Amino acid sequence: YVTASLGLQVLMNDPELALNGASLILPSEQPSFKPFVADSSRAIKYAMAHRMDLLQLELQVAADTLEIQVAKNTLLPDVAFGAELGAIGITDFGVGRAVEDMFNGQQAIPWSLRLSASMPIGNNTAISAYRAALLQRLGDIADTSQQRLTIRQDVLSALTSLESSARQLRVSHQAEIAYRNAWKGTQD
């Protein structure tokens, strides 16, 4: 019991429990020797929902999707629109008078509109960036799938280990009962 108690104290990480062996944790009831049956699909689903490493990979795939959209936009022509409104005729009367003259019809308001579009010839840099973003996303999707398989395998291995330990406990318990009965038979 002492070794199991110490292991439990470490797992509990309770600062009130001394790890020097002075306190002993004992179960409040006898262990159950019922067959251990685990719901593997439920355990796998829970593990998939609560693993931070999987969440991190999924967030990376989402970031990769954004990078693809940005890279795809660089393949499009660069279109710019601009407009200007000016004031002319600033005289000794100041800016206020010039603005007043423009809006009372005594002076024309200068304005201009501008539209431009450009596209690099070949656009090889943008095409390469787009392809690199696609490949990065595919690699991260593969990593995510691999991590899902690893998590599934880890859960199934842990459940198999638990089932094996439960079987071993039941066998040990049955052997103990058989030895007690045999011993009692020798005492009569």
Side-chain angles (χ1 to χ4, degrees):
Y1 284 123
V2 175
T3 304
S5 177
L6 182 59
L8 182 60
Q9 289 175 10
V10 169
L11 285 175
M12 290 173 58
N13 197 22
D14 188 346
E16 294 180 15
L17 293 175
L19 296 179
N20 60 7
S23 58
L24 183 65
I25 298 175
L26 295 174
S28 62
E29 56 190 51
Q30 291 297 318
S32 170
F33 295 105
K34 297 179 204 170
F36 176 78
V37 179
D39 183 357
S40 60
S41 61
R42 185 173 163 201
I44 290 170
K45 186 177 178 181
Y46 183 85
M48 295 291 182
H50 292 88
R51 288 283 296 261
M52 288 296 110
D53 52 346
L54 186 60
L55 176 63
Q56 184 178 4
L57 288 169
E58 289 170 348
L59 289 174
Q60 185 58 49
V61 170
D64 291 343
T65 302
L66 182 61
E67 286 292 325
I68 289 171
Q69 291 172 349
V70 169
K72 194 173 186 180
N73 283 341
T74 62
L75 296 172
L76 300 173
D78 184 22
V79 178
F81 176 77
E84 288 184 18
L85 182 64
I88 59 171
I90 298 176
T91 63
D92 293 339
F93 298 111
V95 174
R97 176 69 185 261
V99 172
E100 185 181 316
D101 286 347
M102 283 190 320
F103 289 106
N104 67 16
Q106 293 182 1
Q107 216 174 47
I109 301 173
W111 61 273
S112 66
L113 295 175
R114 198 173 47 256
L115 177 65
S116 66
S118 64
M119 179 79 170
I121 297 175
N123 212 8
N124 291 334
T125 303
I127 292 170
S128 295
Y130 177 68
R131 288 179 180 164
L134 284 173
L135 289 174
Q136 179 66 41
R137 183 170 185 269
L138 288 175
D140 288 339
I141 288 172
D143 290 346
T144 303
S145 295
Q146 180 62 42
Q147 187 62 26
R148 286 181 194 277
L149 290 173
T150 301
I151 291 169
R152 185 178 192 284
Q153 184 62 40
D154 288 348
V155 168
L156 292 175
S157 293
L159 290 177
T160 301
S161 177
L162 282 172
E163 288 170 354
S164 175
S165 296
R167 264 192 311 276
Q168 191 175 20
L169 183 62
R170 281 193 311 276
V171 167
S172 296
H173 179 68
Q174 290 168 354
E176 177 190 3
I177 291 171
Y179 287 133
R180 281 187 187 174
N181 289 338
W183 186 73
K184 283 182 186 178
T186 60
Q187 297 298 318
D188 293 335

